[in-house]
C-alpha cells in the first residue's frame, strides 16, 4: 500500500472534494470560512500540498453538507 500524499486514491479524493465544493457554489475562501479554517487550508489540500487527516476530512464533508460515507463510497468505486 502506497502511503503518500501523491497516491492515486489521494488524488481522486482531492478531485471529489473540489468538485463537491464547486457544485455547492463555494469558493475556497467561503469553504474555509464555513470550517473556521485558514484561507489557505482548502487551497493546499486541493493542490495536493497537504493531506487531510480523518477529522479534517469530516470537517470538510460537514462544511459541504455531505455525508462522509457518500464521499468514501465514491472514492472506493474508482
Amino acid at each position: 500500500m502506497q502511503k503518500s500524499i501523491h497516491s492515486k486514491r489521494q488524488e481522486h479524493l482531492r478531485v471529489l472534494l473540489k468538485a463537491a465544493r464547486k457544485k455547492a457554489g463555494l469558493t475556497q475562501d467561503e469553504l474555509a470560512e464555513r470550517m473556521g479554517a485558514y484561507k489557505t487550508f482548502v487551497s493546499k489540500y486541493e493542490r495536493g500540498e497537504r493531506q487531510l487527516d480523518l477529522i479534517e476530512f469530516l470537517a470538510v464533508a460537514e462544511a459541504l453538507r455531505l455525508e462522509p460515507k457518500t464521499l468514501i463510497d465514491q472514492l472506493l468505486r474508482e
Side-chain angles (χ1 to χ4, degrees):
M1 175 173 81
Q2 183 182 15
K3 197 172 184 182
S4 169
I5 194 167
H6 302 292
S7 71
K8 288 188 184 277
R9 189 169 274 175
Q10 185 67 32
E11 181 180 338
H12 188 221
L13 177 61
R14 288 194 310 267
V15 169
L16 288 173
L17 292 175
K18 184 175 182 177
R21 175 183 60 77
K22 288 184 174 189
K23 185 176 181 181
L26 297 171
T27 65
Q28 291 179 343
D29 288 348
E30 290 168 336
L31 178 57
E33 186 176 316
R34 272 192 186 184
M35 297 174 59
Y38 292 108
K39 291 183 176 187
T40 58
F41 177 81
V42 176
S43 173
K44 286 185 177 186
Y45 79 71
E46 283 189 0
R47 288 189 314 223
E49 292 180 15
R50 73 180 315 278
Q51 190 169 338
L52 296 175
D53 67 22
L54 178 61
I55 302 304
E56 292 167 335
F57 167 75
L58 294 173
V60 172
E62 183 178 275
L64 290 170
R65 296 182 175 100
L66 295 173
E67 288 293 323
K69 184 178 181 331
T70 302
L71 291 167
I72 291 169
D73 287 345
Q74 289 176 347
L75 185 62
L76 293 174
R77 273 188 288 236
E78 303 280 325

